[in-house]
Amino acid sequence: MNALPIFSIPLLFSSLVWSGYLEYDQDVLIPEDWTHVGRVDPTEELELTFALKQQNVYLLEEKLRLVSDPDSAQYGKHLTLEEVASLVRPSELTHKVVRHWLQSHGITNCLTVCTEDFLQCTMTAEVAETLLPGSRFHRYIRDGQSLVRSSAPYSVHDDVHQHLDFVGGLHRLPPKGQDLSKELKQSKEGVHLGVTPAILRTRYNLTAADVGTAQNNSQAVAQFLEQYYHPADLAEFMNMFGGSFQHLSQVDRVVGTQGGGKAGIEASLDIEYIMSTGANISTWVFTNPGRHESQEPFLQWMLLLSNMSDLPWVHTISYGDDEDSLSAAYMMRINTEFMKAGVRGISLLFASGDSGAGCKHLGKEQNSFRPSFPASSPYVTTVGGTSFKNPYKVTYEVTDYISGGGFSNIFKMPDYQVSAVEGYLKTVAATLPPKSYYNVSGRAYPDMAALSDNYWVVSNRVPVPWVSGTSASTPVVGGMLSLINDHRLLKGLPALGFLNPRLYKLKGQALFDVTEGCHLGCLDEQVQGKGFCAAPSWDPVTGWGTPNYPELLTALLA
């Protein structure tokens, strides 16, 4: 972080501003698995994140459209971090108002980022509760992890709220699981000998020669909340499964602090499969255990993206939460952060989730599907999951019933996918779930898919079979995009950047179409556990399908 003359930072999911003396726009729900310890001592230090209103967000969106559209004269003409900063940097008035507000409460220990649109500030709990009327900070514990959050909504003074998108570090408690994601399950159907790098290379037509060679190429995974990979596990995995192709057995850079203790299956899966698919390519790990109990690691990662001028070209992230558990203001701002990455030529891939269409109980026997964020963002490439039709053989693929997919309730359908989604809705009109279950005009996801069932992983020096989830498919797709970037960079072409506009113009070319199977939905009389179903061309279960690597390489080199 770059220190400003006056102003330190923490993080969390959040809250925000509508009008008046502005209150957080959601109920504060404390999950049952978190135990309340008590009020925080008034003198205890907290770190909060202030997301300042940015300028020119519409210009940023238009610039992203132009640099990501292969038919545009500006295709591939990505911006530097400094150019992004000059575009979106908050106004002088915004800086003046927010800083005066903080300083008037004695808050001077703050950090900012290169784009100057976030402030992370340290203050006592007593000062925080005065600054944000209504907030009350308590400590909660679960499985030995301790977090500090506000148990009540907060408000922001009228004069200030128009200059803020949200304040992070108050409300969000992570859902159950070893990290913030729900994207991991262990398959109970132990009939497959298991997916390994060799199986993936066979299915997706990668040869031993399909490895990276460019010096200026790199890829990354991001890990959250007490999820760590062990270097010894990666080395053992490559020793067991990487013998048929050139590869690296070490991560080149760890950004953040790797914690001690056991390796997480999730973290092991991510790093082992991006490095065996995107083989021989320099790989980074962003690891964010959270330096403080009031920090939110995902937001911490987003701040790093706004503060590092040299970043890997492809990032894969197995993280998600229900849209309805987050404030709209928070999601809209994070969406802008994704645009800032895309316009710099960075490809962000998110797992689509492992709950199918999801289900939200609305009461009185009324249900609706439950979309996941960031999978539902229009500015990331979302990866769903598939299984082999014959679990014993490398056959064609069908839907993995856990593959997350559906329609956002927050983001409208982007132009790049309108015709594809309309085609799907027309094709399967007779068998669609009732319209009350989903927002037919929302951003539809996923965009593509890969195998997500029955993987081998090495974790804590032990080979573990039958690991499944879209957190397996996402680094596999990410590794293949890194290989394609390798070829592009060697030819002097720009990195792929935000892939979706180009992906949808391919209309399924160079992908294996997945046309069989449905994913999970609500267990009720109307849909009887079924969400959406796969169909020819694009569908909200597997997107456009799974990569046929040599054809995709040819299509994306053109």
Side-chain angles (χ1 to χ4, degrees):
M1 298 281 177
N2 301 317
L4 281 183
I6 59 172
F7 300 95
S8 173
I9 276 190
L11 268 314
L12 205 90
F13 267 93
S14 278
S15 37
L16 200 103
V17 271
W18 286 119
S19 61
Y21 212 102
L22 198 60
E23 207 170 80
Y24 178 70
D25 65 345
Q26 289 192 313
D27 294 331
V28 180
L29 300 174
I30 305 300
E32 291 178 5
D33 54 335
W34 285 92
T35 302
H36 178 244
V37 177
R39 279 291 292 273
V40 168
D41 188 283
T43 62
E44 180 158 341
E45 280 211 333
L46 305 179
E47 285 187 307
L48 300 181
T49 301
F50 300 87
L52 279 63
K53 282 269 186 223
Q54 298 153 314
Q55 299 190 97
N56 303 316
V57 173
Y58 291 111
L59 288 177
L60 176 69
E61 188 171 24
E62 176 61 11
K63 185 69 177 174
L64 178 61
R65 186 186 69 78
L66 291 171
V67 301
S68 307
D69 179 356
D71 296 330
S72 159
Q74 290 187 47
Y75 178 71
K77 293 181 179 175
H78 300 125
L79 303 187
T80 63
L81 177 59
E82 291 68 28
E83 288 168 332
V84 173
S86 65
L87 186 64
V88 303
R89 186 177 286 123
S91 68
E92 286 301 317
L93 179 62
T94 290
H95 274 292
K96 188 176 177 182
V97 168
V98 173
R99 290 184 179 191
H100 179 267
W101 174 57
L102 294 169
Q103 287 174 319
S104 70
H105 288 82
I107 299 165
T108 57
N109 181 17
C110 298
L111 298 176
T112 188
V113 292
C114 182
T115 46
E116 296 179 27
D117 45 8
F118 284 105
L119 288 173
Q120 285 191 303
C121 302
T122 306
M123 67 206 74
T124 64
E126 185 175 33
V127 168
E129 290 178 1
T130 307
L131 181 76
L132 303 167
S135 62
R136 294 289 179 270
F137 287 90
H138 295 252
R139 178 167 278 102
Y140 300 88
I141 58 168
R142 181 183 70 188
D143 299 336
Q145 182 188 5
S146 173
L147 293 178
V148 171
R149 299 292 184 264
S150 173
S151 59
Y154 69 88
S155 55
V156 174
H157 194 279
D158 225 358
D159 296 341
V160 178
H161 91 252
Q162 61 191 299
H163 297 286
L164 286 177
D165 281 329
F166 65 82
V167 182
L170 281 98
H171 292 136
R172 297 282 311 143
L173 282 162
K176 185 65 177 170
Q178 281 187 294
D179 74 340
L180 288 181
S181 76
K182 299 175 297 184
E183 275 86 325
L184 194 68
K185 69 182 180 73
Q186 281 210 232
S187 172
K188 294 183 175 64
E189 302 169 21
V191 294
H192 198 285
L193 292 178
V195 173
T196 64
I199 296 284
L200 292 167
R201 286 179 168 263
T202 300
R203 170 58 187 155
Y204 298 131
N205 294 322
L206 287 95
T207 69
D210 289 315
V211 296
T213 57
Q215 292 301 302
N216 55 342
N217 193 18
S218 57
Q219 58 192 1
V221 298
Q223 301 169 354
F224 307 111
L225 280 194
E226 310 306 322
Q227 271 281 332
Y228 312 111
Y229 90 98
H230 281 187
D233 291 339
L234 175 61
E236 180 67 17
F237 178 86
M238 290 301 186
N239 186 47
M240 289 180 69
F241 299 116
S244 63
F245 52 91
Q246 192 177 348
H247 59 267
L248 301 173
S249 296
Q250 287 184 315
V251 166
D252 272 345
R253 185 169 177 188
V254 175
V255 182
T257 308
Q258 276 268 108
K262 286 187 174 182
I265 289 255
E266 170 81 54
S268 304
L269 179 69
D270 287 347
I271 197 67
E272 288 166 9
Y273 279 92
I274 198 170
M275 288 187 69
S276 55
T277 310
N280 214 44
I281 293 172
S282 172
T283 304
W284 296 19
V285 172
F286 286 82
T287 181
N288 294 293
R291 295 170 310 179
H292 191 279
E293 288 175 318
S294 65
Q295 283 191 331
E296 198 289 305
F298 177 70
L299 193 49
Q300 196 71 43
W301 171 72
M302 293 262 45
L303 289 190
L304 284 170
L305 297 192
S306 277
N307 209 41
M308 298 178 73
S309 53
D310 293 309
L311 285 167
W313 294 115
V314 172
H315 296 243
T316 77
I317 305 98
S318 302
Y319 158 91
D321 216 340
D322 299 321
E323 271 190 350
D324 58 49
S325 72
L326 305 169
S327 75
Y330 171 82
M331 288 185 279
M332 297 302 280
R333 173 56 185 266
I334 293 300
N335 211 38
T336 304
E337 299 306 304
F338 294 152
M339 282 193 259
K340 283 162 60 181
V343 83
R344 293 171 63 191
I346 295 165
S347 304
L348 298 178
L349 279 69
F350 278 87
S352 71
D354 286 359
S355 304
C359 188
K360 182 175 174 64
H361 302 291
L362 305 174
K364 292 189 177 177
E365 297 182 13
Q366 254 193 317
N367 296 321
S368 70
F369 294 150
R370 196 171 203 177
S372 174
F373 179 82
S376 63
S377 166
Y379 298 112
V380 303
T381 298
T382 304
V383 182
T386 61
S387 303
F388 282 125
K389 174 67 172 177
N390 181 335
Y392 295 101
K393 295 180 180 175
V394 179
T395 57
Y396 71 93
E397 292 160 78
V398 298
T399 295
D400 186 349
Y401 68 94
I402 53 92
S403 180
F407 295 79
S408 174
N409 290 321
I410 299 294
F411 304 109
K412 68 180 178 65
M413 190 179 298
D415 291 345
Y416 63 73
Q417 70 171 182
V418 169
S419 65
V421 179
E422 284 178 349
Y424 171 79
L425 294 172
K426 202 172 290 182
T427 301
V428 299
T431 56
L432 280 170
K435 287 215 167 117
S436 60
Y437 278 72
Y438 60 99
N439 172 25
V440 73
S441 61
R443 153 44 164 166
Y445 69 97
D447 304 301
M448 57 193 303
L451 285 161
S452 57
D453 199 25
N454 290 349
Y455 276 65
W456 278 94
V457 177
V458 173
S459 190
N460 299 299
R461 304 300 296 274
V462 177
V464 181
W466 310 324
V467 175
S468 302
T470 52
S471 19
S473 53
T474 307
V476 167
V477 172
M480 281 188 257
L481 294 183
S482 288
L483 290 175
I484 293 169
N485 269 341
D486 211 86
H487 285 269
R488 290 182 61 86
L489 295 168
L490 288 170
K491 284 179 176 283
L493 298 170
L496 288 167
F498 175 48
L499 183 65
N500 292 10
R502 187 159 190 178
L503 176 67
Y504 280 77
K505 283 191 174 181
L506 291 177
K507 299 188 175 181
Q509 174 197 347
L511 293 131
F512 295 114
D513 196 5
V514 179
T515 59
E516 284 185 31
C518 308
H519 65 182
L520 299 164
C522 296
L523 280 167
D524 60 25
E525 276 191 38
Q526 280 198 281
V527 298
Q528 298 180 14
K530 197 166 81 173
F532 297 99
C533 296
S537 208
W538 181 90
D539 58 68
V541 188
T542 60
W544 285 105
T546 64
N548 184 354
Y549 175 74
E551 289 192 17
L552 192 61
L553 172 64
T554 301
L556 295 179
L557 271 180

